[in-house]
Amino acid sequence: MQSLARGLGVIRAFDRDHPSLRLSDVARRADLTRAAARRFLLTLEELGYVRSDDGVFSLTPRVLELGFSYLSAARLPALVQPHLVDLAERIDESASAAVRDDTDIVYVGRVAPRRIMSVGITVGTRFPAASTSMGRVLLAALDDDAVRAILERSTLEAHTAATLTEPDDLLRAVALVRAQGWALVDGELETGLLSVAAPVHDARGRVIAAVNVALPSARIGADRARSDILPALVETARRIDEDLRLQHPG
């Protein structure tokens, strides 16, 4: 089990900002010795998940099989996608769905906007839960102690001048989301990017995912997002809830 965890840690050492790494970088990012990192990289290379070129390692497209296995087995992505398509067509903006993986959110559904923003997002993209609208919706489903524990494990990085990085400020922001039932984040992940999110519930009423709409704040400010975007988003979340109840009654 420990070896599996370390092997997955090596894979997760690579991300959008670090697509290629040297052995020392992999060891540091995966919190392994150089010898251990080398063993895992060689094993992953033999299995076809990693390639090396003159001492520089990178993932191969084969790692996508790991994500596709989840998407094939999970019903949620297939269920939400038609709703995201409908929402995106109605409001002419991007629409997405995500679940929480400890301190991050992971996108499980996405309809790309017609207008391109600088944040490149696809299914499988990860962002910190603390500074995203969907992340705050998912955190709001937990009690304060659980949220505080997640924040303690998080790297509270200032992505922009507007990013909340103090735990107390984030706890208050999550409490507001818990009270109103939706989240709006403006310019915290990327300057000029505004997003609104709402929760998705299973048949027992538990929050299991979130859906959001993201758009440039210069085109539509926070007030218009609340009045023009939020109602359609909440309605979409409600329809997804209904489909989940029909598939899993009681």
Side-chain angles (χ1 to χ4, degrees), residues 5-246:
R6 289 178 176 177
L8 291 174
V10 167
I11 292 176
R12 293 181 65 179
F14 299 88
D15 58 24
R16 182 180 60 177
D17 297 324
H18 305 87
S20 300
L21 296 169
R22 293 193 174 274
L23 173 60
S24 57
D25 297 321
V26 173
R28 175 177 53 81
R29 289 176 58 82
D31 195 22
L32 296 170
T33 64
R34 284 174 58 93
R38 184 175 183 276
R39 287 196 303 271
F40 284 113
L41 284 167
L42 291 177
T43 299
L44 289 168
E45 186 175 14
E46 184 177 348
L47 294 172
Y49 293 108
V50 168
R51 66 167 62 95
S52 62
D53 181 16
D54 196 23
V56 177
F57 296 89
S58 58
L59 299 179
T60 72
R62 189 168 188 177
V63 298
L64 294 173
E65 294 176 358
L66 303 175
F68 287 140
S69 295
Y70 164 76
L71 292 174
S72 298
R75 297 180 180 180
L76 181 63
L79 186 146
V80 302
Q81 193 66 19
H83 293 282
L84 297 179
V85 170
D86 178 68
L87 175 62
E89 289 179 349
R90 281 192 289 149
I91 64 176
D92 195 22
E93 303 290 351
S94 69
S96 306
V99 297
R100 185 176 64 85
D101 181 16
D102 194 26
T103 63
D104 293 341
I105 61 167
V106 181
Y107 280 68
V108 297
R110 172 75 172 168
V111 177
R114 296 180 183 178
R115 310 171 187 88
I116 299 175
M117 292 178 289
S118 59
V119 172
I121 302 172
T122 59
V123 170
T125 294
R126 305 175 73 94
F127 286 125
S131 52
T132 57
S133 62
M134 288 192 287
R136 290 186 186 168
V137 162
L138 294 167
L139 291 174
L142 308 174
D143 60 35
D144 280 346
D145 288 342
V147 175
R148 189 176 289 107
I150 290 171
L151 294 178
E152 289 175 355
R153 296 195 299 272
S154 302
T155 301
L156 300 179
E157 177 184 354
H159 304 284
T160 73
T163 308
L164 298 182
T165 58
E166 292 298 324
D168 288 345
D169 293 337
L170 286 163
L171 282 168
R172 283 191 287 270
V174 170
L176 175 61
V177 174
R178 190 182 295 126
Q180 64 190 14
W182 51 272
L184 186 149
V185 172
D186 190 357
E188 293 193 46
L189 184 63
E190 178 182 323
T191 300
L193 180 64
L194 181 150
S195 64
V196 189
V200 170
H201 305 83
D202 65 11
R204 297 182 180 180
R206 298 172 299 187
V207 175
I208 59 169
V211 290
N212 91 332
V213 171
L215 62 160
S217 55
R219 190 167 68 248
I220 178 171
D223 289 341
R224 281 193 58 202
R226 293 186 189 93
S227 62
D228 297 354
I229 302 297
L230 182 61
L233 177 66
V234 170
E235 174 64 15
T236 296
R238 185 189 65 78
R239 291 178 179 177
I240 296 172
D241 289 354
E242 290 179 351
D243 280 0
L244 285 169
R245 284 195 295 271
L246 288 172

